[in-house]
């Protein structure tokens, strides 16, 4: 390790560096940073296990470890000067202080699932570093208090497992995929199978610990209600580094029921989906039925395709009551007892995340994603059922793409009861369902990517008349840089993405940002911008 020098010398050096035109040429960004960390943290940094520069043989393994979108791991993607894995909260504080002092652009990563790779790639500013919270992943569950403190680097699957370890009748309403970093996930909302009953993960956060732009650790009381409001849905990496969330646990029954019923076009899939759109948001709040839609070979017709619509559901109760609910509200699906699987809540988590049946819950402790692809995705919110003719046009487009996928995700229930301004996530009453469009591919290459981008952008245009407008809403956790990026020069919001993700809450987010991070330290392609000085 570099020997400690006096901090005054450090700051003098820093001053010189800050006034230099660029740090890029300096071979010692890492050394300066380590020196500064030593000066600013009571815990020394174990360099060999906490620092990875591109010349280190483990660099790519660490960079790749949690990165979910292969588009941002190709050799041509910008690479960080180094990756730092803090072992203590104090290391995160020191990382913020030192990045600020040294003028190094910082990206923070929890679970690496950002759709546009914003936690590990900066197209906007270089040089940059990654602070990866993978080693900060404690989960402390307190059943008596009905709460848990969860550290940002834990996955949502680990959170579910640690709750299950202590109680079979408690759960948490966050994402369906189980490898999401709880740190980044909750910053954008965090929806899952229990959202119709309990709302989002972000709706169930009661406290937090963050590192602010000055390197201070703040809890809810210390940051104040405006700042605490902004971090629960205002998107990642604009308002500080989340160290911990304190979450409220929710009750789950000992027995829940899951099912997946698939219908093709030949089995009346289009009519059935039209019906689902009319009922999905009005069903019993214990019932969540999403629809996974993709093309498939048509049975008995070589070379022809059909569309499969898979009704994939969780019911917070037993099969008999579920069948009654379905008979009353959605008999068209023709659900039978044979389709239903009664199980525990934790096993329903594994079922929905599509682990093979019989996989033990301990798999959640691996904290790993089960697949990685090249992908591009977009989202929409729907307020009126899409007519059958609209769906038929959609099928024609899905047939043209190699590996497309759509997921219709029902709203209503608790989602409609929470006011739009309660937290920054605004997609509430009046929303029938959310659509996610995804196209996946397996080979790198600019031309290949361009072809898939073109397809999904055309699909998005096609959908315009059927989805929300003024603004055309989008889910911030399905980050989409097509909606606009911050201006490289002055970071003024370049497009309408702010209102699409946050509707009227965007203005308040900008005000909070201007107050808590006036120097715009935490920034990225779609970070919340700071008000121009004149209008402050
Ligand atoms: C396969 C897959 C399945 C998904 N399923 C769901 C789902 O069921 N429900 C749902 O709501 N969403 C889902 N998402 C979206 C997911 O919620 C977002 O991608 C979320 O941002 C992931 O958080 P992360 O920590 O894993 O990502 P990261 O890439 O680490 O971070 C995402 C963003 O947050 C910032 N950030 C990360 N950690 C912190 C921190 N500690 N403090 C402040 N900012 C931070 C990053 O800089 C980045 O801008 C899914 C995504 C994928 C790829
Ligand atoms: C890698 O490069 C850094 C400077 O960028 C240097 O300090 C370090 O010693 C190098 N490490 C190895 C293993 O070569
Ligand atoms: C670099 O990589 C090697 C081999 O993986 C490792 O032993 C070493 O500690 C790493 N870090 C540094 C700073 O050299
Ligand atoms: C990291 O991912 C890239 C892109 O898929 C791949 O080319 C590279 O071999 C991977 N490296 C490691 C060490 O996993
Ligand atoms: C939701 O909006 C509808 C009108 O669009 C209204 O009738 C209803 O009362 C609203 N529900 C809540 C809970 O605000
Ligand atoms: C960003 O803003 C500056 C100053 O307003 C302007 O000169 C520049 O052209 C803008 N850049 C882009 C990419 O829009």
């Amino acid at each position: 390790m570099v020997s400690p020098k006096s901090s005054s010398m450090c700051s003098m050096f820093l001053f010189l560096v800050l006034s230099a035109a660029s740090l890029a040429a300096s071979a010692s960004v890492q050394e300066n940073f380590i020196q500064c960390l030593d000066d600013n943290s009571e815990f020394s940094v174990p360099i060999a296990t906490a620092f990875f520069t591109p010349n280190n043989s483990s660099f790519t393994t660490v960079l790749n470890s949690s990165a979910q979108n292969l588009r941002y791991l190709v050799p041509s993607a910008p690479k960080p000067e180094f990756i730092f894995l803090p072992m203590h909260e104090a290391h995160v504080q020191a990382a913020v202080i030192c990045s600020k002092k040294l003028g190094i652009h910082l990206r923070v990563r929890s679970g690496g699932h950002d759709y546009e790779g914003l936690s590990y790639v900066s197209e906007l500013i270089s040089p940059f570093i990654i602070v990866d919270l993978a080693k900060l992943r404690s989960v402390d569950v307190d059943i008596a208090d009905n709460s848990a403190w969860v550290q940002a680097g834990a996955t949502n699957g680990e959170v579910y497992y640690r709750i299950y370890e202590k109680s079979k009748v408690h759960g948490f309403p966050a994402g369906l995929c189980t490898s999401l970093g709880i740190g980044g996930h909750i910053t954008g909302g965090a929806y899952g199978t229990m959202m119709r009953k309990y709302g989002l993960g972000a709706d169930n956060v009661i406290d937090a610990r963050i590192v602010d732009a000055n390197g201070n650790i703040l809890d809810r009381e210390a940051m104040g209600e405006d700042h605490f409001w902004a971090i629960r849905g205002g998107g990642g990496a604009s308002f500080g580094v989340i160290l911990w969330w304190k979450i409220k646990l929710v009750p789950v029954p000992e027995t829940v029921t899951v099912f997946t019923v698939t219908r093709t076009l030949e089995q009346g899939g289009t009519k059935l989906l039209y019906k689902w759109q009319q009922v999905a948001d009005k069903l019993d709040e214990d019932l969540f039925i999403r629809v996974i839609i993709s093309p498939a070979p048509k049975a008995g017709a070589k070379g022809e395709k059909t569309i499969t619509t898979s009704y994939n559901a969780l019911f917070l109760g037993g099969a008999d009551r579920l069948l009654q609910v379905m008979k009353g509200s959605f008999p068209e699906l023709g659900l039978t007892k044979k389709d239903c699987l009664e199980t525990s809540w934790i096993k329903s988590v594994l079922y929905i995340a599509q682990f093979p049946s019989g996989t033990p819950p301990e798999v959640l402790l691996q904290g790993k994603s089960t697949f990685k692809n090249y992908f591009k995705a977009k989202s929409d919110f729907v307020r009126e059922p899409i007519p059958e003719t609209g769906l038929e046009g959609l099928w024609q487009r899905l047939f043209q793409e190699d590996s497309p996928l759509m997921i219709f995700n029902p709203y209503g229930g608790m989602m409609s009861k929470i006011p739009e301004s309660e937290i920054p996530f605004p997609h509430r009453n009046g929303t029938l369902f959310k659509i996610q469009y995804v196209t996946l591919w397996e080979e790198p290459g600019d031309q290949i990517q361009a072809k898939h981008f073109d397809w999904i952008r055309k699909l998005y245009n096609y959908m315009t008349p059927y989805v929300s407008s003024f603004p055309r809403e989008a889910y911030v956790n399905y980050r989409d840089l097509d909606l606009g990026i911050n201006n490289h020069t002055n970071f003024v919001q370049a497009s309408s993405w702010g209102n699409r993700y946050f509707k009227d809450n965007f203005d308040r987010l900008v005000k909070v940002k201007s107050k808590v991070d006036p120097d715009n330290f935490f920034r990225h392609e779609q970070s919340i911008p700071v008000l121009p000085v004149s209008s402050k």
Side-chain angles (χ1 to χ4, degrees):
M1 192 186 303
V2 186
S3 68
K5 286 182 212 142
S6 82
S7 55
S8 62
M9 186 161 160
C10 186
S11 353
M12 192 177 84
F13 178 74
L14 299 173
F15 181 74
L16 293 174
V17 169
L18 272 177
S19 43
S22 167
L23 258 173
S26 163
S28 51
V29 173
Q30 183 202 5
E31 276 165 30
N32 297 337
F33 192 83
I34 291 171
Q35 179 62 59
C36 178
L37 282 184
D38 271 349
D39 294 345
N40 283 283
S41 169
E42 50 185 311
F43 299 99
S44 67
V45 175
I47 304 303
T49 51
F51 269 96
F52 298 90
T53 45
N55 61 4
N56 189 279
S57 57
S58 303
F59 175 80
T60 320
T61 308
V62 176
L63 180 68
N64 285 14
S65 59
S66 65
Q68 188 68 21
N69 196 340
L70 294 180
R71 262 166 56 206
Y72 294 98
L73 290 179
V74 295
S76 59
K79 299 290 182 281
E81 296 294 297
F82 58 86
I83 305 168
F84 173 42
L85 288 92
M87 311 278 184
H88 297 279
E89 291 187 346
H91 290 165
V92 182
Q93 286 181 282
V96 168
I97 292 167
C98 296
S99 302
K100 201 169 185 175
K101 274 191 186 165
L102 292 163
I104 304 172
H105 182 55
L106 176 152
R107 295 286 165 127
V108 57
R109 181 163 79 171
S110 289
H113 280 56
D114 193 283
Y115 276 28
E116 300 280 17
L118 298 186
S119 57
Y120 51 98
V121 172
S122 167
E123 310 256 15
L124 203 52
I125 310 160
S126 67
F128 72 102
I129 63 166
I130 299 174
V131 174
D132 186 327
L133 305 181
K135 297 203 168 154
L136 300 176
R137 55 197 315 146
S138 301
V139 179
D140 301 332
V141 177
D142 183 345
I143 295 295
D145 187 51
N146 216 33
S147 70
W149 276 103
V150 301
Q151 218 169 4
T155 62
N156 61 330
E158 288 172 82
V159 175
Y160 301 155
Y161 184 87
R162 295 299 174 201
I163 297 171
Y164 146 81
E165 240 181 355
K166 295 226 166 140
S167 164
K168 307 295 175 264
V169 292
H170 289 78
F172 185 64
L176 305 96
C177 162
T178 55
S179 52
L180 309 171
I182 204 77
H185 183 40
I186 291 183
T187 61
Y191 80 87
T193 52
M194 298 198 289
M195 63 187 278
R196 303 193 61 253
K197 177 104 173 179
Y198 298 118
L200 307 167
D203 292 322
N204 291 279
V205 166
I206 48 186
D207 204 338
R209 276 169 73 80
I210 69 166
V211 175
D212 74 1
N214 298 317
N216 296 317
I217 293 189
L218 308 176
D219 66 2
R220 176 176 185 168
E221 203 188 333
M223 77 182 92
E225 287 305 301
D226 271 348
H227 199 171
F228 183 62
W229 174 83
I231 61 175
R232 288 171 297 153
S238 282
F239 298 99
V241 180
I242 311 294
L243 294 172
W244 296 84
W245 295 110
K246 186 180 187 186
I247 60 172
K248 189 171 77 196
L249 308 183
V250 301
V252 298
E254 254 169 276
T255 302
V256 305
T257 308
V258 290
F259 67 81
T260 305
V261 171
T262 302
R263 297 279 182 269
T264 62
L265 297 186
E266 293 66 45
Q267 294 166 320
T270 306
K271 263 199 167 45
L272 186 63
L273 189 59
Y274 185 61
K275 182 67 195 180
W276 174 90
Q277 297 182 74
Q278 293 164 299
V279 301
D281 67 306
K282 297 169 195 74
L283 297 172
D284 189 304
E285 290 180 13
D286 287 330
L287 181 55
F288 170 95
I289 311 178
R290 63 172 178 162
V291 194
I292 304 169
I293 300 165
S294 58
K298 188 159 149 183
K302 253 214 170 112
E304 285 181 54
K305 284 186 187 172
T306 186
I307 296 289
T308 57
T309 53
S310 280
Y311 293 80
N312 178 238
L314 170 72
F315 181 64
L316 295 168
D320 288 337
R321 189 162 71 87
L322 168 60
L323 288 168
Q324 276 173 19
V325 168
M326 288 297 284
K327 205 169 139 198
S329 311
F330 192 24
E332 294 81 358
L333 186 64
L335 188 74
T336 65
K337 185 129 192 184
K338 258 199 357 251
D339 299 318
C340 300
L341 175 66
E342 287 187 331
T343 186
S344 62
W345 176 72
I346 196 72
K347 288 195 177 155
S348 80
V349 165
L350 299 172
Y351 176 90
I352 295 285
Q354 300 183 346
F355 286 98
S357 123
T359 306
E362 284 67 30
V363 73
L364 298 172
L365 296 179
Q366 291 178 5
K368 278 198 200 125
S369 65
T370 44
F371 69 96
K372 288 187 190 207
N373 292 91
Y374 297 84
F375 71 93
K376 173 71 192 164
K378 293 180 164 294
S379 61
D380 261 321
F381 289 86
V382 179
R383 305 175 78 88
E384 308 258 354
I386 303 166
E388 287 179 43
T389 51
L391 295 175
E392 278 153 10
L394 198 47
W395 307 156
Q396 290 315 311
R397 281 165 176 79
L398 291 177
F399 286 143
Q400 291 159 11
E401 180 61 329
D402 300 340
S403 195
L405 177 71
M406 286 177 41
I407 301 177
F408 286 14
N409 190 107
Y411 271 58
M414 182 57 94
M415 291 302 289
S416 297
K417 292 176 199 156
I418 298 174
E420 282 195 7
S421 58
E422 186 78 16
I423 63 169
F425 180 100
H427 320 288
R428 304 283 187 176
N429 192 24
T431 301
L432 303 183
F433 59 98
K434 183 190 72 205
I435 301 179
Q436 176 174 206
Y437 317 91
V438 192
T439 175
L440 303 150
W441 63 99
E442 282 167 11
E443 295 288 329
D446 288 350
Q447 278 184 359
I448 298 175
Q449 172 168 313
K451 172 183 146 208
H452 296 297
F453 272 42
D454 184 57
W455 177 81
I456 203 165
R457 286 169 182 161
K458 283 188 175 139
L459 177 73
Y460 192 71
N461 283 343
Y462 167 76
M463 291 301 288
T464 309
Y466 305 118
V467 298
S468 66
S469 51
F470 309 110
R472 183 167 182 178
E473 296 166 46
Y475 180 32
V476 67
N477 261 353
Y478 293 162
R479 191 67 76 185
D480 178 4
L481 295 187
D482 287 353
L483 303 180
I485 59 170
N486 285 324
N487 180 311
H488 294 220
T489 316
N490 56 13
F491 289 96
V492 169
Q493 176 205 10
S495 183
S496 66
W497 56 263
N499 292 317
R500 291 167 182 247
Y501 291 147
F502 308 112
K503 297 172 79 174
D504 291 346
N505 295 328
F506 183 59
D507 291 348
R508 184 172 170 197
L509 286 170
V510 173
K511 283 194 190 109
V512 177
K513 171 75 179 180
S514 306
K515 205 170 130 205
V516 305
D517 183 15
D519 299 333
N520 210 4
F521 174 74
F522 294 110
R523 65 190 192 275
H524 56 72
E525 286 75 355
Q526 287 184 342
S527 58
I528 305 295
V530 174
L531 280 173
V533 179
S534 55
S535 49
K536 263 182 211 167

